[in-house]
Amino acid sequence: MERLMERIIQAALDQGADFADLRITDAAATAISVEDGRADRISSARTRGAGLRVLVDGAWGFAPTNQPDEAEMLRCVGDAIEMARSAAPYVTDPGMVAEIEPAHGEVGKPPRIRPDSVSLQDRVRRVFELERAARSSAAEKIANTTASYADGSGEMFLANSFGTFLRYEGTGTSIGVQVVATDGETRQRAVQRRANRTGYELVADLDIEALGKETAEKAVNLLTAERAPAGTFDVIIDQRICGLLVHEAFGHNSEADAVWIGDSILAGKLGEKVAAETITIVDDATLPGLNGSFEYDHEGVPAQRHVIVENGILKEYLHSLETAARFGVKPGGSARAQGHQDQPIVRMSNTAIEPGETSLEDMMAEMDEGLYLTGGYWGYVFTGQGQFTCNVEHAYAIEKGKLGTHYRNVCISGLTLETLQKVTAVGNDQEFELGGTCGKGGQGMPVDAGGPHLRISQVVVGGQSGG
Amino acid sequence: MDNLLEAAQRAVKAAMDAGAEFADAYCSQVREVSVGVENTSLRECEVVRDYGIGVRAFFQGGMGLASAQSLEYDDAVECGQRAAELSRAADADPDFVGLPEPAEPPEVGELFDDALAGLAVTEVVEWCRQGIEESRAIEPEVRLEGGADLAVGGSALASSTGIALQRRGTSVNINFYALLTRDEDVGTYFEYDAARQLADFVPGGVAAKATEEARRYLGGRNVATKRLPIVLGPLAASGLLFSVIGDANAEHVQRNRSFLGGKEGQRIASELLTITECPLVAGGLSSMAYDGEGVPKVRRELIEDGVLTTYLHNSYTANKAGVANTAHASRGGYRGSVGIGTANLQVALGSRTEAELISELDEGLYVTYGGIQPEGASGDISATVDFGFKIENGQFAYPVSTTMIGSDALEMLGNIDAVSSDYREEPGIIVPSLRIVGIQVAGGE
């Protein structure tokens, strides 16, 4: 394989490329869906191909193929060079790459339990157990239950014109459950999911009964929750929403590709205060056992720990080979690609706010009124404006330091830098709660995010009542 | 094209030979050229040739789905066999009756354009170069990103009931996002154009519009929390309306996970709202002669004078409900399963312009764009106004920032008190603005 890939890279250089890299992937995935007591959908997908990227006269060219044989990949060389040359005359901000030491070797360890070592029937049975656990909890209120499972495993080879040749082996597993509860005209949904870059041990070790029951209880509890209030409130957010906030609101702004083009509120702010002094934000792909962990990124750069913000001061951005060259820094090992049809772009890994010293109890006791916000599925940000939106699964009124009225799911919005300056307490209870997939540029990538409880003043809550 | 249908038929036969009771296969191939703009500069060109096959096999109603990124004979056969094997591992589903029978689809013109198919990459590059130029002419310091995509492809569908269909298509789009900075203030906006035919495509002016609009969003301010009339511009209106139509998905209703359960034939919106699905428009962005299972498409009202006329069915949900199939099966490419979706949607127009609807408001909120989509099960809406303006004394007063809307789908649809006569049109798709009264706006004190 190494010789084959060297020949393709050399062909690209011979045709005028200043830099070239080639990824060859071969992966298989299985998905199982159990709904309302029946495992009625089982699927399996095979993906295989190669993606060749070249830099010619400051322009990037990219040509993937689903047929990674030598003849087809040589055709891709011609295509990619032609594509780059088509753009090159009009490039005013030339592409570049930072030089790296070539890397060689095997990346990734086999999982403890390979998913394909477990029979399909056993995997189906486990998903069914999760769905049944959810369905049988508060059964009279449960309208629909869906449990889903997916595993994927495969290998990827990377070669580039610096002489890198790496073989990556990877496995990912996820399992989740969705419950819809009803009471008359009211329907409420709760969702929980676990995902990690591990094997079937994620599922085998999981307390299926507890996950199903807890999800069903959340859905049922939402039936009697009131519509959330609208307006600006002092809030306490839990670890999951802290993860959403640090990933969506802040993290995407720290990706150097956005910074370079000015589409980030952090552009030009290195060394400046961007958050309260109590805030330290770290993106760390080297943490063991998390969904965003890896050993080498997809440009052949070792994974690293990045302290993006230290005590409120912006310290660094996340870099690819290209952005590292543009900013004149060492490559950060933060470039990843979803598949062979995608180019590597700057991505977060495991991103979190570091823990502080305040307990949730103390944080709450100091509040006369406000909201406690917990859980959340999604969020998004417009990085240029720095305006974010985060989903919240449950909200509770805080009245004289105690939890009060329970509210339905709602969203919060704010300006990232304002919000991080308004953090008035940082909890001592950091957790990573958000193992999942981050979407950027049309590519999904496994990430994790988290943090401790945070107390923040004056956050906009988009509820339905109050004005 | 012939090899697509052959591959699909081979896969179906392999699935049936392996014991499936029903099977269908979908093959597609596409060549897509993309040109990227970043930092107000051309950045990259890529050409993606993607192709593959997806097979559904059924055994006692249980479904197995297998896909592969290949159209080779052996891979098609293996894919069919794998789908059949998976279907046997699935639980039986007594609600599954069968796959649709063949029927002659209608003619839909102008979905493939030789001019687009033969277009040189340099033309796509030129659209982007011109976009940069026109944007810089307006704002020399603009930061522009985006690009253009040109796709040429085809697909084939075969089933064990005898369906054997194929089609080809072209599409093109251009999109730009402009960012302007004034000290600490930032204004951004995006614009796009898309078409199936080169003659319908107008790349010039897209970057200029994004740049000019970005200027208008400088100086965003928070809005006080109160109930206000709001006006949804066409982009925001399409986000809400098309999402609600998606919640009429019969599978979601049958599975008890849609807030539109029990609402078929009932009023769910102001009588001012009529939405028609128009799948047969020549050159329409989402035009199609047949759905994802090969059932002929027809034009139909989905919401008529505020009444939800039908749920959206594919063959499975129609058979389960014992009603006629509405031909709303959708396929997410060769890798996806069969879901439910719509073709082009057109919203009936009102009699007064958007400007007239705004001029009648002493105070209100205009939403250009925002994620105003209901949560599918509850219908609740909690969304940020990503781009919008405060309305005061009948006109735009200032752009808004960190301003949210809290409502639910039935409240928003029911409170529509006017639909504009002017509209945004993409080929086959028409969306006017909506004025909605009494909506909770969340912002500052």
Side-chain angles (χ1 to χ4, degrees):
Chain A
M1 180 64 82
E2 186 170 3
R3 299 287 87 79
L4 168 66
M5 294 179 78
E6 279 176 1
R7 288 197 295 276
I8 304 301
I9 294 288
Q10 190 57 50
L13 296 176
D14 291 345
Q15 291 184 40
D18 301 310
F19 168 82
D21 64 7
L22 174 66
R23 284 170 296 114
I24 296 178
T25 63
D26 191 349
T30 301
I32 299 163
S33 171
V34 176
E35 183 156 8
D36 295 334
R38 265 202 310 265
D40 50 8
R41 290 175 196 181
I42 302 176
S43 65
S44 134
R46 180 87 189 268
T47 53
R48 192 167 61 105
L52 177 79
R53 182 173 68 152
V54 298
L55 183 61
V56 182
D57 299 334
W60 289 99
F62 182 63
T65 174
N66 293 355
Q67 192 181 322
D69 59 44
E70 185 158 8
E72 182 69 3
M73 289 191 287
L74 285 171
R75 189 187 56 72
C76 289
V77 170
D79 279 352
I81 296 279
E82 182 196 344
M83 290 290 117
R85 289 210 163 113
S86 300
Y90 310 106
V91 170
T92 55
D93 184 24
M96 55 184 72
V97 289
E99 285 212 24
I100 48 167
E101 287 295 315
H104 282 84
E106 302 270 328
V107 176
K109 300 180 192 74
R112 179 155 64 82
I113 306 174
R114 287 172 52 102
D116 60 6
S117 72
V118 181
S119 73
L120 186 59
Q121 287 75 14
D122 283 350
R123 282 178 280 176
V124 169
R125 188 176 307 121
R126 193 75 172 141
V127 187
F128 182 78
E129 285 169 7
L130 172 59
E131 191 271 343
R132 186 177 55 195
R135 184 161 33 94
S136 55
S137 303
E140 71 283 0
K141 300 278 192 194
I142 304 298
N144 172 255
T145 45
T146 309
S148 54
Y149 162 93
D151 63 53
S153 56
E155 62 179 0
M156 180 179 84
F157 298 90
L158 168 71
N160 65 27
S161 50
F162 295 129
T164 288
F165 179 78
L166 290 169
R167 177 183 175 273
Y168 301 69
E169 184 176 322
T171 305
T173 306
S174 67
I175 187 163
V177 61
Q178 169 184 282
V179 178
V180 177
T182 59
D183 188 2
E185 285 284 297
T186 304
R187 278 186 186 79
Q188 291 292 324
R189 182 202 314 259
V191 178
Q192 295 207 84
R193 183 167 179 268
R194 302 283 183 270
N196 213 333
R197 309 303 298 163
T198 57
Y200 191 74
E201 57 268 27
L202 175 86
V203 176
D205 297 345
L206 187 65
D207 187 341
I208 288 279
E209 284 290 325
L211 182 65
K213 189 166 178 248
E214 186 184 303
T215 312
E217 285 171 354
K218 283 187 175 199
V220 170
N221 286 341
L222 280 169
L223 290 172
T224 51
E226 296 185 9
R227 297 180 114 197
T232 304
F233 298 87
D234 293 344
V235 303
I236 295 174
I237 61 173
D238 77 349
Q239 295 99 330
R240 191 173 170 88
I241 299 172
C242 184
L244 276 178
L245 186 76
V246 71
H247 176 96
E248 297 292 351
F250 187 86
H252 282 299
N253 281 287
S254 72
E255 293 166 340
D257 48 357
V259 176
W260 179 254
I261 62 174
D263 191 18
S264 164
I265 48 167
L266 299 180
K269 288 197 164 54
L270 277 179
E272 293 185 15
K273 187 168 183 293
V274 296
E277 284 178 12
T278 49
I279 296 293
T280 292
I281 298 173
V282 174
D283 183 87
D284 190 352
T286 68
L287 290 171
L290 292 178
N291 197 45
S293 303
F294 52 87
E295 292 176 57
Y296 278 82
D297 78 353
H298 294 172
E299 291 182 325
V301 180
Q304 296 163 38
R305 179 176 193 266
H306 300 283
V307 179
I308 303 171
V309 173
E310 188 170 28
N311 301 326
I313 307 295
L314 181 65
K315 292 292 190 182
E316 64 170 312
Y317 303 125
L318 302 178
H319 286 288
S320 63
L321 288 182
E322 179 173 36
T323 65
R326 290 192 187 289
F327 283 86
V329 299
K330 283 187 175 177
S334 296
R336 287 186 288 163
Q338 178 178 311
H340 68 270
Q341 294 179 345
D342 307 293
Q343 299 186 56
I345 55 175
V346 181
R347 309 303 298 254
M348 283 170 272
S349 59
N350 307 302
T351 318
I353 290 179
E354 293 291 277
E357 296 176 349
T358 312
S359 71
L360 174 61
E361 292 71 25
D362 289 347
M363 213 181 273
M364 190 105 69
E366 292 165 5
M367 286 179 78
D368 273 349
E369 59 178 359
L371 293 172
Y372 178 64
L373 309 177
T374 174
Y377 310 128
W378 52 267
Y380 67 89
V381 65
F382 282 87
T383 46
Q385 305 154 302
Q387 178 168 287
F388 68 86
T389 302
C390 285
N391 172 249
V392 171
E393 191 177 21
H394 295 256
Y396 296 87
I398 299 174
E399 295 155 1
K400 298 194 184 313
K402 306 278 185 205
L403 288 185
T405 309
H406 180 202
Y407 298 113
R408 288 184 195 175
N409 51 26
V410 71
C411 289
I412 58 173
S413 180
L415 297 174
T416 303
L417 295 185
E418 271 185 32
T419 304
L420 289 178
Q421 299 280 7
K422 292 190 293 190
V423 173
T424 57
V426 179
N428 58 5
D429 49 0
Q430 186 197 49
E431 285 182 18
F432 280 85
E433 286 262 326
L434 220 64
T437 302
C438 166
K440 176 183 170 184
Q443 301 187 44
M445 193 56 58
V447 295
D448 212 331
H453 278 91
L454 295 183
R455 191 177 61 209
I456 312 172
S457 61
Q458 298 295 289
V459 171
V460 177
V461 177
Q464 293 88 0
S465 65
Chain B
M1 288 292 291
D2 287 347
N3 68 327
L4 287 178
L5 187 56
E6 279 177 33
Q9 289 174 322
R10 270 182 212 138
V12 167
K13 182 173 185 308
M16 298 301 285
D17 288 348
E21 294 171 343
F22 291 89
D24 66 9
Y26 175 85
C27 294
S28 67
Q29 61 182 16
V30 64
R31 178 180 185 272
E32 186 170 357
V33 171
S34 303
V35 176
V37 171
E38 201 175 271
N39 208 19
T40 333
S41 168
L42 260 291
R43 180 182 193 276
E44 64 194 354
C45 277
E46 66 177 48
V47 56
V48 176
R49 290 183 176 82
D50 187 27
Y51 47 83
I53 183 167
V55 185
R56 289 193 306 170
F58 297 86
F59 182 75
Q60 296 180 356
M63 187 181 82
L65 173 71
S67 68
Q69 290 184 307
S70 169
L71 294 170
E72 297 295 317
Y73 180 92
D74 288 348
D75 291 326
V77 168
E78 188 276 336
C79 216
Q81 290 170 339
R82 187 154 37 102
E85 183 187 339
L86 292 171
S87 73
R88 286 178 170 273
D91 287 341
D93 184 346
D95 293 321
F96 177 84
V97 175
L99 292 174
E101 294 295 322
E104 190 63 31
E107 288 287 327
V108 183
E110 301 176 16
L111 300 185
F112 187 91
D113 182 13
D114 288 323
L116 269 184
L119 208 66
V121 176
T122 50
E123 288 293 316
V124 186
V125 168
E126 181 60 16
W127 296 334
C128 293
R129 193 193 64 75
Q130 286 181 2
I132 292 169
E133 216 165 74
E134 67 189 35
S135 180
R136 277 210 173 115
I138 295 165
E139 283 281 348
E141 299 303 315
V142 68
R143 300 280 196 135
L144 193 71
E145 55 184 297
D149 300 289
L150 167 65
V152 182
S155 67
L157 176 68
S159 78
S160 57
T161 54
I163 286 173
L165 295 164
Q166 49 190 329
R167 56 190 172 198
R168 57 182 191 152
T170 48
S171 67
V172 62
N173 79 78
I174 190 165
N175 63 87
F176 287 110
Y177 171 77
L179 183 145
L180 301 174
T181 306
R182 302 272 193 276
D183 299 322
E184 289 292 300
D185 194 10
V186 174
T188 66
Y189 197 68
F190 63 93
E191 188 52 78
Y192 67 93
D193 189 48
R196 307 291 296 265
Q197 297 273 311
L198 187 57
D200 294 335
F201 186 56
V202 188
V206 171
K209 175 86 185 299
T211 308
E212 283 164 354
E213 290 295 308
R215 272 181 180 164
R216 300 176 71 206
Y217 289 97
L218 287 161
R221 285 155 56 187
N222 194 235
V223 170
T225 300
K226 59 180 358 180
R227 283 199 178 265
L228 286 174
I230 66 172
V231 176
L232 302 185
L235 287 177
S238 62
L240 171 66
L241 298 178
F242 296 177
S243 176
V244 169
I245 290 291
D247 290 316
N249 178 319
E251 181 164 12
H252 292 180
V253 171
Q254 291 173 356
R255 301 282 196 176
N256 257 320
R257 48 178 145 88
S258 170
F259 68 92
L260 291 177
K263 298 279 192 270
E264 191 177 35
Q266 293 192 16
R267 183 176 299 282
I268 63 162
S270 156
E271 62 185 12
L272 299 173
L273 186 68
T274 292
I275 301 177
T276 305
E277 186 186 24
C278 304
L280 311 182
V281 178
L285 277 186
S286 299
S287 290
M288 58 189 81
Y290 54 90
D291 77 352
E293 295 183 314
V295 180
K297 294 288 289 186
V298 294
R299 175 192 163 98
R300 72 173 78 227
E301 272 72 39
L302 301 178
I303 294 178
E304 189 170 15
D305 302 330
V307 174
L308 178 65
T309 60
T310 182
Y311 290 135
L312 311 178
H313 286 282
N314 58 20
S315 67
Y316 174 86
T317 63
N319 287 331
K320 184 174 179 177
V323 300
N325 187 344
T326 59
H328 284 106
S330 68
R331 276 187 195 263
Y334 63 84
R335 277 177 279 196
S337 183
V338 171
I340 287 176
T342 56
N344 310 303
L345 296 177
Q346 298 188 357
V347 181
L349 304 178
S351 57
R352 288 174 297 156
T353 65
E354 182 194 77
E356 289 174 303
L357 303 187
I358 292 169
S359 72
E360 293 167 358
L361 299 178
D362 289 337
E363 187 179 13
L365 179 67
Y366 182 87
V367 186
T368 314
Y369 181 82
I372 306 175
Q373 300 181 355
E375 200 283 326
S378 67
D380 288 344
I381 291 172
S382 178
T384 302
V385 179
D386 297 315
F387 297 91
F389 295 92
K390 179 74 190 307
I391 298 169
E392 292 178 358
N393 302 316
Q395 53 192 353
F396 289 172
Y398 53 85
V400 301
S401 169
T402 57
T403 299
M404 305 188 75
I405 285 172
S407 183
D408 67 67
L410 298 181
E411 177 186 61
M412 287 195 81
L413 296 185
N415 289 10
I416 295 170
D417 83 336
V419 178
S420 74
S421 56
D422 43 358
Y423 54 91
R424 182 175 177 121
E425 180 175 20
E426 303 296 341
I429 300 166
I430 291 174
V431 186
S433 300
L434 305 175
R435 190 171 69 190
I436 307 174
V437 296
I439 296 302
Q440 181 66 57
V441 173
E445 300 300 324

